[in-house]
Amino acid sequence: MLHPADAARHGLSAGAPAELGDFADAPWLLPGPETACHEMARRACGAAGFVPRPVAVANDVTVLTALITRGAGVALIPRPALPVPSPELSVHTLNTPVRRSIQAVYHMGMGRRPDIGGTLDMPVSAAASEVPAGSRRP
């Protein structure tokens, strides 16, 4: 997610897929370091070949979004946290999806219990229903 003027400078039309590596030199707005979103942003940028240069860190997506509307930088925002569409925001999918793995440890045989099995299936079900295959948003 970035300001429309920044998107235009990168040759991105509204909603067009973006290459994360194209933003290596951009000022970055990151979630707080104690969040999973912070780690995912750093890993995604690392996989694209760069370390993000944060100019602001905030735990509140509303704060990050407000900074984007002022042209302060770019941010990776998870789809469930995307704000209401605004002419001051340019939202793009990534050409290279960001992936996360979740691991669980439980006693052998416990995965067959409905309560345990359902809990283990929830992240997969939620991800499948919220994000179309092959689509992630920065």
Side-chain angles (χ1 to χ4, degrees), residues 1-117:
M1 182 181 298
L2 63 160
H3 190 276
D6 293 331
R9 279 193 288 279
H10 283 275
L12 290 172
S13 58
E19 288 292 337
L20 194 54
D22 292 346
F23 299 94
D25 294 328
W28 278 83
L29 309 169
L30 294 176
E34 65 282 352
T35 66
C37 291
H38 178 87
E39 185 62 26
M40 286 300 296
R42 294 189 64 83
R43 287 183 185 196
C45 292
F50 70 96
V51 175
R53 184 176 44 91
V55 294
V57 176
N59 286 335
D60 189 337
V61 173
T62 306
V63 172
L64 295 175
T65 302
L67 289 167
I68 292 168
T69 65
R70 303 298 189 270
V74 301
L76 289 174
I77 306 291
R79 182 180 290 261
L82 285 176
V84 174
S86 160
E88 298 168 321
L89 297 171
S90 189
V91 179
H92 303 271
T93 58
L94 290 177
N95 279 334
T96 305
V98 176
R99 302 205 187 281
R100 177 192 326 205
S101 65
I102 299 172
Q103 299 176 1
V105 177
Y106 55 92
H107 288 285
M108 191 180 315
M110 295 295 283
R112 290 188 292 266
R113 285 184 42 188
D115 56 335
I116 302 292

Side-chain angles (χ1 to χ4, degrees), residues 79 97 127-137:
R79 182 180 290 261
S129 67
E130 292 178 7
V131 181
S135 172
R136 299 285 187 268
R137 295 204 180 226

